[in-house]
């Protein structure tokens, strides 16, 4: 009998030693910085130095672990970055350093990192529209140098980000207002990019049923562009598609033009330059797949908005540091850019109660641009 107990104790000791060995190896695998550079970027979209930078700026806003079993700040950031990149809680092969983290812990880590990235000190530093005359002029000159199109300080468009349906009886965010015209639930995100595809303004506050022009007219950026036009009438404007109203601070394409005319040249140049925002949106969604339509953010509209903001920051970090996008082995098709299927009413007929002075001023600015392009 004594031999039996001795053998049993030895067996338990072997099992405990094996468990401790696995735990030790598990802790060693938690250092994602040991991954090869290409695998690291594939999983987290940033290179190692930039992830260290992100960890550093987020640390003051993240909770330090108290219990030994709690996730450390570095692991929380890695979890969030991997979610942004894949749009999935199920970590891909090669991310074995995260496979032992529970889904609840993953959700908490993402929530904490997203809140930290939306702190004004971080968000306003990385997503910033030109606020001084010199900044506006430099942005305009970069556009003109690249595209020979004067006056542009940004290109505007909207894109839909799929979300899980809110509750039907939600008093603030009822389900039906998030159903877009393609019959899925989304938030309609307004983005403005510069000539380098850096996102300089984002508004993710509006439900999917709202059209692009409504978002623009009710955004915080629209009155800023009005004010800039009042102070500097020589021309600082955004480029937008025909879903927007022509204004001195927002150029749109011509609805009609004759072939082999300056107007045709304007429209062709316009289309070429405006495609930059489509490429920007495509790159944002390919790099951070949690924003893809079929991935669907399983969060409230408010939290989904904050996730969009976080991805926008990371996109700009990649652009500023020239991090090239690496296509994953599993190729996924990014949904088509959602173009509005209407013309803004006052582009053609103006205000029904009289002459639309803003539209006339927009046409005068448009003719100036057409003359510039035709004589260059």
């Amino acid at each position: 009998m004594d031999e039996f107990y001795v053998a049993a104790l030895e067996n338990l000791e072997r099992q405990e030693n094996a468990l401790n060995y696995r735990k030790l190896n598990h802790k060693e695998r938690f250092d994602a910085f040991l991954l090869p550079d290409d695998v690291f970027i594939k999983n987290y979209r940033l290179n190692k130095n930039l992830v260290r930078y992100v960890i550093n700026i987020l640390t003051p806003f993240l909770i330090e672990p108290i219990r030994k079993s709690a996730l450390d700040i570095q692991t929380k950031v890695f979890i969030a970055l991997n979610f942004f990149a894949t749009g999935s809680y199920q970590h891909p092969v090669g991310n074995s350093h995260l496979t032992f983290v529970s889904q609840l812990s993953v959700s908490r880590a993402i929530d904490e990192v997203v809140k930290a990235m939306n702190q004004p000190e971080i968000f306003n530093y990385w997503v910033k529209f030109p606020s001084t005359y010199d900044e506006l002029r430099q942005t305009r000159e970069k556009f003109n140098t690249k595209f020979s199109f004067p006056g542009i300080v940004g290109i505007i468009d909207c894109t839909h980000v799929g979300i899980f349906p809110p509750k039907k009886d939600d008093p603030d965010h009822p389900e039906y207002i998030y159903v877009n015209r393609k019959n899925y639930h989304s938030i309609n995100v307004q983005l403005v990019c510069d000539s380098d595809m850096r996102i300089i303004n984002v508004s993710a506050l509006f439900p999917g049923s709202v059209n692009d022009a409504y978002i623009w007219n009710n955004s915080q950026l629209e009155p800023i562009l009005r004010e800039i036009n009042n102070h500097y009438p020589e021309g600082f404007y955004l480029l937008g598609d025909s879903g927007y109203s022509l204004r001195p601070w927002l150029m749109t394409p011509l609805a009609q033009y004759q072939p082999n005319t300056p107007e045709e040249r304007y429209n062709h140049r316009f289309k070429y330059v405006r495609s930059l925002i489509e490429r920007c949106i495509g790159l944002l969604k390919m790099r951070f797949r949690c924003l893809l339509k079929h991935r669907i953010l399983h969060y409230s509209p408010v939290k989904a908005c904050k996730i969009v903001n976080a991805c926008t920051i990371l996109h700009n970090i990649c652009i500023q540091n020239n991090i090239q996008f690496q296509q994953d082995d599993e190729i996924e098709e990014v949904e088509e850019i959602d173009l509005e299927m209407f013309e803004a009413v006052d582009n053609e007929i103006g205000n029904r109660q009289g002459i639309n002075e803003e539209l006339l001023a927009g046409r005068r600015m448009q003719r100036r641009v057409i003359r510039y392009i035709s004589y260059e």
Side-chain angles (χ1 to χ4, degrees), residues 90-106:
Q90 304 300 319
H91 304 291
V93 176
N95 255 1
S96 57
H97 59 286
L98 295 179
T99 54
F100 293 99
V101 181
S102 70
Q103 184 166 320
L104 180 60
S105 295
V106 168

Side-chain angles (χ1 to χ4, degrees), residues 71 76 79-80 83 88-89 91 98 101-111 299:
L71 298 179
K76 292 175 183 177
I79 287 172
F83 169 73
S88 173
Y89 289 117
H91 304 291
L98 295 179
V101 181
S102 70
Q103 184 166 320
L104 180 60
S105 295
V106 168
S107 182
R108 288 174 178 170
I110 293 170
D111 183 62
Y299 295 96

Side-chain angles (χ1 to χ4, degrees), residues 127-302:
V127 183
K128 181 184 178 183
F129 192 81
S131 59
T132 67
Y133 177 77
D134 286 341
E135 290 175 350
L136 287 165
R137 183 176 50 80
Q138 290 170 10
T139 303
R140 182 178 63 180
E141 288 178 358
K142 286 189 69 174
F143 266 110
N144 198 25
T145 299
K146 284 188 175 184
F147 302 107
S148 296
F149 203 116
I152 306 172
V153 291
I155 311 175
I156 186 171
D157 202 2
C158 290
T159 185
H160 287 266
V161 174
I163 63 169
F164 191 76
K167 293 181 180 180
K168 291 184 178 181
D169 57 352
D170 189 311
D172 298 317
H173 305 281
E175 176 268 342
Y176 73 92
I177 67 172
Y178 289 91
V179 180
N180 62 34
R181 63 186 180 84
K182 292 191 175 181
N183 205 34
Y184 69 91
H185 296 82
S186 68
I187 52 176
N188 196 3
V189 180
Q190 176 181 280
L191 297 169
V192 179
C193 77
D194 67 10
S195 59
D196 296 319
M197 291 197 294
R198 182 185 292 105
I199 296 170
I200 55 178
N201 184 264
V202 57
S203 175
L205 301 172
F206 292 87
S209 63
V210 174
N211 66 53
D212 297 4
Y214 179 90
I215 295 174
W216 165 245
N217 290 329
N218 290 274
S219 70
Q220 295 180 351
L221 188 58
E222 197 271 349
I224 293 175
L225 265 296
R226 282 175 175 268
E227 189 68 18
I228 290 171
N229 179 75
N230 291 336
H231 282 82
Y232 309 111
E234 70 268 26
F236 293 102
Y237 54 77
L238 302 182
L239 229 58
D241 63 24
S242 57
Y244 297 99
S245 299
L246 176 66
R247 296 291 183 266
W249 52 87
L250 205 166
M251 289 292 102
T252 61
L254 292 165
Q256 297 178 342
Y257 56 88
Q258 297 298 319
N260 302 316
T261 61
E263 287 75 17
E264 181 187 47
R265 190 175 184 183
Y266 165 85
N267 257 36
H268 285 178
R269 184 77 56 82
F270 189 104
K271 182 178 180 180
Y272 174 71
V273 180
R274 207 198 71 82
S275 68
L276 193 68
I277 186 65
E278 297 178 353
R279 303 207 311 270
C280 175
I281 291 171
L283 180 60
L284 173 69
K285 289 188 171 184
M286 284 189 294
R287 185 173 261 144
F288 302 108
R289 292 186 174 184
C290 67
L291 304 181
L292 287 171
K293 178 177 68 177
H294 60 276
R295 287 303 168 98
I296 302 177
L297 292 174
H298 287 255
Y299 295 96
S300 69
V302 173

